[in-house]
Amino acid sequence: MKLSELKTGERGVVVRVNGHGSFRKRILEMGFINGNVVNVVMNAPLKDPIEYEVIGYKISLRREEAAMIEVIGESEALAAEQTPNRASGFSQEDTSCEDADILAAKMKALAEERGHVIRVALVGNPNCGKTSLFNIASGSHEHVGNYSGVTVDAKEGRLRHKDYEFILVDLPGTYSLSGFSPEELYVRKNLVENTPDVVINVVDSSNLERNLYLTAQIIDMNLRVVMALNMFDELEAKGDELDIKTLGQLLGMPLIPTVSKTGRGISELLDTVIKVYENADPQLARHIHINHGAELEHSIDRIKLLIQKNEDIRYRYSTRYLAIKYLENDKDVTETVEKLANRDEIIAARFEEQKRFESMMGTTPESAIIDAKYAFVKGALAETYKPCTTRKKRRNITDRIDGVVTNRWFAFPIFILLLYLVFECTFTLGEYPMQWIEWLVEKFGDFVSTYMKEGALKDLVVDGIIGGVGSVLVFLPNILILYLCISLLEDSGYMARAAFIMDKLMHKMGLHGKSFIPMIMGFGCNVPAIMATRTIESLKSRLITILIIPLMSCAGRLPIYILVVGAFFPKYGGAVMLGIYLLGIVLAVISAKVMSRFIKDDDLPFVMELPPYRVPTAKSVFRHTWEKGKQYLHKMAGIILVCSIIIWFLGYFPNHKKYDTVAEQQENSYIGYIGKAIAPVLEPLGFDWRMGVGILSGIGAKELVVSSLGVMYSAEEVSSAGGPDGDSNRDTAVLADGTAGEVVEGGNTMLQRALQKSITPAAALAFMVFVLLYFPCIATFVAIKQEAGGWKWAIGSAVYTIILAWIMAFIVYRIALLFL
């Protein structure tokens, strides 16, 4: 609880002091340190300030300042006892000295325990190994990709180390705290509004100058910082030398070499965090000020002193940091500062100082501040960093690979070839385990059917649950293979090259090169892809990217493609699937070009790091693949199971027993009524009413399309496909249009054989196109609303994709009828 919450006459034991720099230091010097008892003497008549007694003398604090001090109160200590009256022999009404001593001991014990919890924020540039360090330290299973934008939200993990519990918060990777993009604002707000006990600044040792610019901005915030010199093995491998101790003194923070992928230095890093948290060695983490030059420092000091007149802001912010960002015209800080009581005086001072500085120096304070920080970084490295002089300058492996994959003539063919290989592997390698799972599901269904009594319950279990969920379960291997391939491309560093080679095309579309990364992520799942757009600084590019990501074919659509391709186009599976995915990309390009004419905003330059190629670790790749597989299984156990039961119910009632055949039963069920209601709209596309029901169910989740079809076709008499004699090995079957069509022997699931009897190959191809383009799932719909900033964008996206899906499916169907 907060010290400000204690009432007059109550007491508490200090756990920790939150807040920034000088405020925190002043409070600690007054005696508010962990384990000290604080008594509430009295409140002022207006309840503010409050007089406290600590270590024998009385101190007056404002309520807002007291709220920054965490304590264990008497009531909290009593509540912590399982049976207070018996275990400790005291209650809240007891007033004897002996009971008071017992209570005080309990409070101190709880304060000691609570004080051994350290909240640590991980901050660093993209690709610095921050999430890898988070994973190896906390054991969490976050995905580690070798490009910017993997972490788009704060991830939290816990671990114990030397009697301390660490709460690790993995913040998004960012190059600065300037507030140009949502991720920069997100990181900054976490550091300011939810101030961590210690910040671990993760730095890529192989690229110190770029990484230390962010460090220079963190220094301005006056936080307790420990630097993890990550990937230190790469610096050593190059033969470079770094004076770690001297650099730490210049930066005012301890530096610990680490290697996240092996765990080197992690234990020492956590030990150092404990020392900084306990303030065991004041010289270990001492606050410094970056000198921005005499004229800038004069401007900073003037505005800082004006801000400091507002006492209520000093405990929440470093006033020097506010002054610097205010001179930089930072929008977020400007809003904060200009709400202060003396706002007019501060605004006038900034105007005068900016005008004075520009007239004297010939540049803006914003540019001068950036230059000063880079000058500070270069100066610190000049004294401490010595690159290897004996190493011959030669192209490294990254340069040699880039010479091929980013080549003017080879880049796009290689990119398309890699996508083709991904989809070919997904289709071909996944076919065998898919057949095994299909066989198990079929045998399990037969077993249940044999031993359950006839009736609605048996039909629910066999047709609804096993038929519906089982029809989706069989595609789990294909999903895992797709995620495995995507993980390999991400972790190797190729994804960043894909964004690089696509930048010019993206720009012509009115987008940013960074837009390509979320678009490719959309192949896995549209929801995290939409969240990943936070890394795009340009509002226009970010909004357009959000709106076109639903056109990227997510993994939820993959079971539908495999189902249809396996039934109708098995000989050209990889090519057909590549064509579907490319169609989504092409339509996304066209859509973006159209939208860019209506959405106006200032474009920002393309700035994106091309990280060195790294060999993906098997542990990271397989762990990420399995995590996605678990999400798929959880979805089947949740929404897919529930919706399968609902679909079965709608297809079973109201008059199941009145009809002799399954076709008649379903046609006259609730689901039949729904399907027939939308049939006129879908009839020009070659779809029957059951396909229409499948499309409607896909609104919840795209996997439900297969589940719905599985429920509706589960009892289809596929054994008669060869003719009246029921020979299932015949090579032809009568298709929906009355013509003979080829039925592939072996390898086809029951659902695929049923589809071969019901629809034409042209309609099947149009069905895949419709599923590719129409309404995104509910989760994506909500994500668009949250990230784009309103329902109008989500609803507009839904309407647009439905219309586009119908038009494109109609065109594909009519063209396909000429050839299939």
Side-chain angles (χ1 to χ4, degrees):
M1 65 188 302
K2 300 174 182 177
L3 179 60
S4 59
E5 296 172 353
L6 294 180
K7 298 177 182 177
T8 301
E10 292 184 344
R11 57 180 174 164
V13 176
V14 178
V15 175
R16 61 165 57 83
V17 177
N18 299 312
H20 290 263
S22 58
F23 164 79
R24 186 175 178 278
K25 182 180 179 182
R26 180 171 64 89
I27 295 297
L28 289 173
E29 289 173 347
M30 289 179 177
F32 291 90
I33 60 175
N34 179 263
N36 278 357
V37 178
V38 181
N39 294 295
V40 184
V41 179
M42 63 177 177
N43 281 253
L46 297 178
K47 300 296 183 182
D48 202 8
I50 307 171
E51 185 176 323
Y52 298 99
E53 183 179 4
V54 60
I55 58 174
Y57 66 96
K58 296 176 181 178
I59 299 170
S60 176
L61 292 179
R62 290 182 174 176
R63 186 169 293 274
E64 290 174 329
E65 294 175 330
M68 302 301 293
I69 303 173
E70 184 181 341
V71 298
I72 296 291
E74 294 175 336
S75 59
E76 197 171 354
L78 287 167
E81 289 287 308
Q82 293 182 359
T83 53
N85 293 329
R86 295 181 182 176
S88 299
F90 60 82
S91 66
Q92 213 157 2
E93 288 77 26
D94 291 329
T95 56
S96 68
C97 293
E98 184 179 352
D99 289 333
D101 291 341
I102 295 173
L103 181 55
K106 178 63 180 176
M107 292 163 64
K108 288 188 176 183
L110 283 174
E112 178 71 17
E113 180 182 333
R114 192 77 58 82
H116 276 59
V117 177
I118 309 176
R119 186 175 181 85
V120 179
L122 300 180
V123 181
N125 286 188
N127 304 311
C128 67
K130 177 172 53 62
T131 302
S132 296
L133 189 148
F134 171 80
N135 285 341
I136 198 166
S138 67
S140 295
H141 296 170
E142 295 303 327
H143 178 46
V144 180
N146 192 13
Y147 62 91
S148 65
V150 175
T151 307
V152 293
D153 207 345
K155 308 296 188 300
E156 191 172 290
R158 292 174 180 263
L159 76 148
R160 291 202 66 85
H161 180 77
K162 292 188 176 179
D163 297 328
Y164 277 84
E165 181 180 4
F166 285 75
I167 302 175
L168 295 180
V169 182
D170 181 21
L171 295 174
T174 179
Y175 293 106
S176 76
L177 300 175
S178 300
F180 284 126
S181 68
E183 69 189 24
E184 292 176 355
L185 281 175
Y186 185 86
V187 173
R188 198 163 76 183
K189 285 182 179 294
N190 266 272
L191 295 179
V192 172
E193 297 176 5
N194 193 19
T195 309
D197 296 314
V198 180
V199 173
I200 294 181
N201 179 204
V202 186
V203 166
D204 179 357
S205 300
S206 63
N207 201 338
L208 287 171
E209 185 172 340
R210 185 207 67 199
N211 279 245
L212 290 181
Y213 177 73
L214 176 62
T215 305
Q217 290 188 315
I218 295 173
I219 289 172
D220 289 337
M221 301 183 79
N222 201 357
L223 301 167
R224 291 184 289 179
V225 185
V226 176
M227 181 180 290
L229 286 168
N230 205 27
M231 304 179 192
F232 200 74
D233 55 333
E234 295 185 10
L235 181 143
E236 294 174 324
K238 292 190 296 185
D240 298 343
E241 296 180 9
L242 181 66
D243 186 343
I244 296 174
K245 183 177 179 180
T246 303
L247 182 59
Q249 291 173 345
L250 293 172
L251 297 176
M253 63 186 70
L255 276 58
I256 309 298
T258 60
V259 181
S260 294
K261 62 184 179 182
T262 64
R264 171 185 167 187
I266 302 298
S267 180
E268 184 183 356
L269 178 67
L270 298 177
D271 289 343
T272 307
V273 169
I274 292 174
K275 291 178 182 177
V276 170
Y277 173 72
E278 292 179 336
N279 201 29
D281 183 359
Q283 293 301 314
L284 195 63
R286 56 188 182 84
H287 182 59
I288 65 166
H289 283 167
I290 295 174
N291 192 326
H292 296 85
E295 298 303 327
L296 258 181
E297 287 296 328
H298 177 274
S299 300
I300 292 170
D301 287 341
R302 180 183 175 187
I303 293 176
K304 181 183 73 173
L305 291 172
L306 291 174
I307 294 174
Q308 285 179 349
K309 290 182 178 180
N310 302 270
E311 289 288 339
D312 58 339
I313 202 170
R314 297 180 65 175
Y315 65 89
R316 291 191 294 125
Y317 296 93
S318 161
T319 51
R320 177 177 170 82
Y321 165 75
L322 287 179
I324 292 171
K325 302 308 290 184
Y326 191 56
L327 277 172
E328 289 182 315
N329 293 313
D330 184 283
K331 182 179 178 181
D332 190 56
V333 169
T334 297
E335 290 179 1
T336 300
V337 171
E338 293 186 358
K339 291 178 182 177
L340 300 177
N342 59 337
R343 61 182 298 275
D344 293 337
E345 187 179 10
I346 298 174
I347 292 171
R350 180 177 71 170
F351 177 77
E352 292 172 5
E353 290 302 321
Q354 287 178 333
K355 187 176 180 180
R356 181 188 68 83
F357 186 85
E358 289 176 14
S359 64
M360 292 184 63
M361 309 302 294
T363 186
T364 64
E366 182 178 5
S367 298
I369 288 170
I370 295 172
D371 291 343
K373 282 183 167 52
Y374 272 113
F376 168 77
V377 170
K378 287 180 179 179
L381 291 178
E383 293 188 34
T384 58
Y385 175 65
K386 293 182 180 179
C388 179
T389 56
T390 59
R391 186 176 70 247
K392 293 181 179 180
K393 182 68 176 179
R394 61 180 181 180
R395 298 178 74 198
N396 56 31
I397 186 66
T398 293
D399 295 331
R400 291 197 291 270
I401 295 175
D402 277 344
V404 178
V405 300
T406 63
N407 180 272
R408 178 181 179 184
W409 303 106
F410 298 150
F412 288 99
I414 289 173
F415 175 65
I416 294 173
L417 176 62
L418 285 174
L419 287 183
Y420 174 78
L421 291 175
V422 167
F423 302 132
E424 185 66 25
C425 289
T426 300
F427 182 75
T428 305
L429 298 180
E431 182 179 357
Y432 301 101
M434 184 182 76
Q435 292 178 26
W436 302 335
I437 296 176
E438 162 69 13
W439 182 82
L440 289 173
V441 170
E442 188 175 340
K443 293 301 178 184
F444 182 65
D446 293 341
F447 173 80
V448 174
S449 181
T450 301
Y451 289 96
M452 284 191 72
K453 293 182 179 180
E454 295 293 333
L457 180 60
K458 175 182 175 179
D459 293 339
L460 168 62
V461 173
V462 175
D463 298 334
I465 298 176
I466 299 177
V469 177
S471 60
V472 179
L473 179 63
V474 297
F475 299 106
L476 176 62
N478 307 91
I479 298 290
L480 294 177
I481 292 172
L482 176 65
Y483 275 118
L484 178 68
C485 294
I486 291 177
S487 294
L488 288 171
L489 293 177
E490 290 175 345
D491 293 1
S492 66
Y494 179 76
M495 282 298 196
R497 272 70 186 180
F500 174 75
I501 65 177
M502 293 295 291
D503 178 60
K504 188 171 183 179
L505 178 60
M506 293 289 108
H507 188 71
K508 288 183 179 296
M509 294 161 50
L511 293 176
H512 192 283
K514 284 186 179 181
S515 298
F516 194 66
I517 294 290
M519 289 169 66
I520 293 297
M521 288 178 67
F523 288 156
C525 180
N526 289 169
V527 175
I530 288 171
M531 294 175 65
T533 59
R534 296 176 187 174
T535 64
I536 304 171
E537 293 87 352
S538 168
L539 176 61
K540 172 185 175 181
S541 293
R542 185 164 65 249
L543 186 55
I544 295 176
T545 306
I546 288 171
L547 296 177
I548 65 173
I549 279 176
L551 302 180
M552 299 294 103
S553 191
C554 68
R557 298 174 172 105
L558 184 63
I560 308 166
Y561 302 153
I562 295 173
L563 173 73
V564 176
V565 169
F568 296 95
F569 316 105
K571 293 182 180 179
Y572 312 101
V576 172
M577 289 179 64
L578 176 62
I580 286 291
Y581 278 77
L582 288 179
L583 176 63
I585 294 174
V586 170
L587 291 175
V589 169
I590 297 172
S591 300
K593 185 66 177 176
V594 173
M595 292 176 187
S596 66
R597 295 181 178 274
F598 299 97
I599 301 175
K600 302 297 182 181
D601 187 41
D602 293 332
D603 286 329
L604 293 174
F606 175 72
V607 180
M608 184 174 181
E609 177 191 7
L610 293 181
Y613 289 100
R614 294 188 173 96
V615 177
T617 62
K619 181 179 180 182
S620 173
V621 170
F622 285 115
R623 185 168 62 185
H624 173 57
T625 303
W626 174 238
E627 289 295 322
K628 294 300 182 182
K630 284 200 300 184
Q631 291 178 15
Y632 187 70
L633 292 173
H634 289 159
K635 186 182 286 188
M636 283 191 294
I639 185 173
I640 292 176
L641 174 61
V642 172
C643 290
S644 294
I645 294 173
I646 293 173
I647 293 165
W648 172 86
F649 178 88
L650 294 173
Y652 194 85
F653 295 100
N655 300 309
H656 179 75
K657 295 182 178 180
K658 284 187 177 182
Y659 304 97
D660 296 328
T661 66
V662 174
E664 289 180 316
Q665 292 165 1
Q666 291 186 341
E667 194 171 348
N668 292 278
S669 66
Y670 293 124
I671 208 167
Y673 301 151
I674 296 172
K676 289 178 181 179
I678 63 173
V681 178
L682 299 177
E683 187 177 352
L685 311 180
F687 302 168
D688 65 15
W689 64 268
R690 285 175 290 192
M691 296 168 71
V693 172
I695 288 171
L696 284 178
S697 65
I699 292 174
K702 290 297 177 280
E703 295 91 341
L704 287 172
V705 175
V706 175
S707 177
S708 303
L709 298 178
V711 172
M712 291 184 292
Y713 285 100
S714 61
E716 188 81 21
E717 294 292 337
V718 296
S719 61
S720 62
D725 59 354
D727 183 4
S728 60
N729 295 321
R730 293 284 297 276
D731 292 330
T732 61
V734 178
L735 298 177
D737 60 355
T739 62
E742 183 180 357
V743 177
V744 181
E745 290 189 13
N748 280 2
T749 66
M750 293 174 61
L751 179 53
Q752 286 173 327
R753 294 193 293 270
L755 288 174
Q756 287 172 336
K757 292 174 53 183
S758 303
I759 63 174
T760 65
L765 193 60
F767 186 69
M768 284 197 294
V769 172
F770 194 95
V771 168
L772 164 71
L773 302 174
Y774 88 110
F775 182 91
C777 67
I778 291 296
T780 303
F781 183 73
V782 174
I784 293 173
K785 179 262 177 184
Q786 292 175 339
E787 298 298 322
W791 284 112
K792 66 176 182 178
W793 298 111
I795 294 171
S797 173
V799 172
Y800 172 73
T801 53
I802 291 172
I803 295 173
L804 180 65
W806 195 96
I807 293 172
M808 291 306 302
F810 179 81
I811 294 172
V812 169
Y813 177 63
R814 294 301 166 183
I815 294 175
L817 283 176
L818 302 175
F819 301 98
L820 298 177

